[in-house]
Amino acid sequence: MGGFSYSDLMALDLTKLGAAATDWKTMAGELAKLATDVRDGLVKKSNAARWQGANATVTREFVGKTAKEFSYLRREAESIASVLGDAHAELTRYQRQAQTLTESAGKGNPSHQPPDPGLLVFDGPNGTVRVSERICTPEGADQRTQDRIRWYGHPHRHRPTCRRGRRGSRTCASQESRKRPAERRPRPVHVLDEEQLPRANELAGLGKDADPQQRAELRRLWESLSPAARAQLWLARKDDLMAAGILSPTMPQVAADAGAGRHGSQPPGFEERATEQKMRLMVEGADWQGMTDASRHMAHYLGNSGSSVTLSVDKMMTDVPSFKSYIDDIVRTNQDDWREQALEEFRKNGGKPVAFPVEAKAPEGFYFSKETDENWFYAVGGANANVTGVVTAVPDAHGNPEIAMDYQANVWDRYNWDEGKGVKIGPMEIPDGQMAKLHRVGLAQEFDMSGSSGVQHYDLGSAAPNTGPLPGPEEGRDGRTNPGREQQQDRTTPEAGRGSDR
């Protein structure tokens, strides 16, 4: 029998599983009534009966064992109903997610200029998903389409969390029940937490040492946990979870345009080599004028590796206050909704800690204009940004909810030069289109850029919403203590990251 595939998930009829969960829940209710009748009827009458002797002793033991057996059966049915209900909810969520992603990929984006083409999603080997252009062209997919294919095809988008146990099996439930009196056994609220929380805790313990596959599994488990189990993990492993990238954005990080074209698709000529030398002089000129980020990215472009670069997001917010305000506005716009959700989850969990992930962005990206900051104008230009975080609600000494969030700002961009864009730094100028052509002739190469700010803690308010100022960017982060050393490293050492359009 083959593994569970994308097509299997799309075609899966979950109606019968949902009906089975409902039937077992109904059965558990009926068994609960029967157990109560036996306990309040037969057991009480047996114990109160005025008869003695061997038959009386045997009968009382039989009635007592029968009453316990009904209690075991009730808990067994509750456990099975909980497992089936969790499995139905989990599979339904992943099926809807896969259906939504498939529909989105197939539609493309007609409103983008030029329009994004529709993509095909189909089965790959070993339960993976493959994504391709609906109509292939001789020159191949442009950069924006490649980014969309990579995002839609990421395993995390389609793969369910497949750690399932049999906590509801007759053997497990009965053996566990016999260890302690039935009335003292805690009733599980979310059976899948029992299966997933230990593995999530194990993966979180790896922290920054977790590999990409382990990080993806941790992300799937994190999304599947109940708010109560997620709070338990977050409060115990907060630093490890952040180091493992649990706050990384999940939104599509797609280039805003097609880029300059295929790298190295044309032979370089004298003009292009002259432009390359002029740009190298500009790199030094930008350094001399204190435009260290613009210089760093130009040097990396000329380095021709195409490897991604990490953006200094805290430095961005420090250098450009309007960008800091842009990030703050994302939090301000959503904080009331996040606070209300936390209060609701807190009440549903009986006043015990809860946690849930949040992610939000503004309708439009942010543009670093030349007038606002020349350094970031040439280093990034237009960029996409969002906020990711975790909202928690924990009881204070009086049992009242304290609601807070830990969040970070994320920025992604693609370093490329539009055909109509030139550059002028000091007395030196490169006309429109010549910077972009360096990519096509193979003398320079576009690359992705991304980065995240330091994680900030913000009180969302307990008795009333918080209207105070949000925390500022971290000082000394992202190379601010020694920008010259970082810049030299970037010219010779590729850095990790992701991106969109410049």
Side-chain angles (χ1 to χ4, degrees), residues 31 70-80 173 177 181-187:
L31 284 170
F70 276 119
S71 180
Y72 299 153
L73 289 172
R74 173 179 66 84
R75 293 186 177 278
E76 182 97 7
E78 288 175 347
S79 184
I80 294 173
S177 297
E183 63 272 15
R184 294 184 183 178
R185 290 188 63 231
R187 180 178 176 181

Side-chain angles (χ1 to χ4, degrees), residues 233-266:
L233 182 63
W234 179 256
L235 295 174
R237 293 280 194 179
K238 174 179 172 180
D239 291 341
D240 290 335
L241 286 166
M242 291 190 297
I246 207 67
L247 296 184
S248 299
T250 64
M251 291 180 176
Q253 298 181 24
V254 178
D257 58 39
R262 189 154 58 91
H263 177 254
S265 58
Q266 301 173 11

